[in-house]
Amino acid sequence: MTQFDLSLLSDDTAEVDMWNWMEVRTEPLSAADYLSFAALDLVDGKTSRHLVNALSNAKKALHLRLEDLCLGFGAVDLKNLRTFPALIKYIRECGLVAPRVLDRLNAQRNAVEHDYILPVEPDVETFVDVAHLFVAATDRWVSRRPCQIGCSGIEVSINALEFDLTQIAFDWPQGVAALIFKESKSVARALSERIEYKSPSAEFFQCVRFAVRHSD
């Protein structure tokens, strides 16, 4: 079996039944460490130096968390995800929340680092707060990332035999989403079929969004 209509995946056909842990880097520094630095920068003072450092540390926290999310949701490596916009695009394709203010933060940081524009205190405070909220919101995936979805109610015909879609399983390190089908009416030794979609295909992202949606 090589093709399947993914539009058949509907909200009443699936339920996440297995989760696992997502690895996030803590060495040499974690996203939380960079957030702590950003907060301390603002506590220490409101000079241009403090504001620039706070903005830079908030961006580092976001960049590190975005990389970990991409790797944790099947990116395999970061070869084509070196830039902040590419990281943001990947997690949005996965259906993970990435508010547009993250794009503004990146634009502000670029203006500071490349155009030598000084940030203003209210913007920096807002961006540090947003970074805190984003990291906190995505902590849920660290301890509860979906890895297997049980499915029911979807039947397909293969070579004159009826099969049920029973499972969508994710091999996150390999960037694979696999659809598992079992022969519908067989009592013993039911036949099975399997379709695999690899990251970063549109079909892979569709399966990931389905899993994320059912993890709420």
Side-chain angles (χ1 to χ4, degrees):
M1 185 176 183
T2 58
Q3 293 185 335
F4 175 73
D5 183 2
L6 288 172
S7 68
L8 294 174
L9 298 176
S10 63
D11 290 342
D12 58 355
T13 62
E15 180 178 346
V16 175
D17 54 20
M18 284 188 67
W19 292 263
N20 59 15
W21 293 84
M22 186 183 82
E23 183 178 357
V24 293
R25 287 165 290 175
T26 59
E27 298 291 340
L29 293 170
S30 68
D33 290 330
Y34 284 116
L35 287 175
S36 177
F37 294 162
L40 288 173
D41 289 330
L42 294 178
V43 169
D44 289 344
K46 307 294 183 181
T47 68
S48 296
R49 175 173 64 84
H50 295 105
L51 296 177
V52 168
N53 287 342
L55 184 67
S56 178
N57 280 319
K59 171 68 186 309
K60 287 185 177 78
L62 286 173
H63 203 102
L64 181 57
R65 176 50 58 91
L66 285 169
E67 286 186 351
D68 286 342
L69 284 170
C70 290
L71 291 171
F73 279 86
V76 182
D77 60 51
L78 298 172
K79 182 172 54 178
N80 298 315
L81 298 172
R82 292 299 181 187
T83 67
F84 196 85
L87 294 167
I88 287 286
K89 181 180 179 182
Y90 189 95
I91 70 163
R92 283 175 176 158
E93 290 281 7
C94 289
L96 305 180
V97 174
R100 285 189 295 274
V101 71
L102 297 184
D103 299 305
R104 289 182 51 217
L105 177 109
N106 184 55
Q108 178 71 57
R109 178 261 187 188
N110 287 341
V112 169
E113 294 201 359
H114 302 301
D115 299 326
Y116 309 107
I117 295 173
L118 294 178
V120 296
E121 181 181 338
D123 284 348
V124 175
E125 290 177 339
T126 297
F127 290 147
V128 171
D129 288 343
V130 167
H132 273 281
L133 291 171
F134 179 77
V135 171
T138 54
D139 277 342
R140 61 173 295 191
W141 305 115
V142 177
S143 59
R144 198 172 173 80
R145 175 184 55 179
C147 63
Q148 182 174 297
I149 302 176
C151 298
S152 62
I154 299 178
E155 189 175 88
V156 297
S157 180
I158 308 170
N159 297 326
L161 296 175
E162 299 302 318
F163 286 78
D164 294 314
L165 174 63
T166 60
Q167 183 185 114
I168 303 175
F170 295 91
D171 182 340
W172 296 118
Q174 297 300 316
V176 173
L179 277 60
I180 312 299
F181 299 83
K182 297 292 184 182
E183 190 180 357
S184 303
K185 299 176 182 178
S186 176
V187 177
R189 295 198 177 186
L191 298 175
S192 64
E193 293 283 344
R194 179 186 179 97
I195 297 177
E196 291 188 354
Y197 302 115
K198 297 208 70 173
S199 173
S201 68
E203 294 84 1
F204 172 82
F205 285 129
Q206 191 168 343
C207 292
V208 177
R209 288 193 296 270
F210 188 64
V212 167
R213 188 166 70 246
H214 287 278
S215 297
D216 293 335

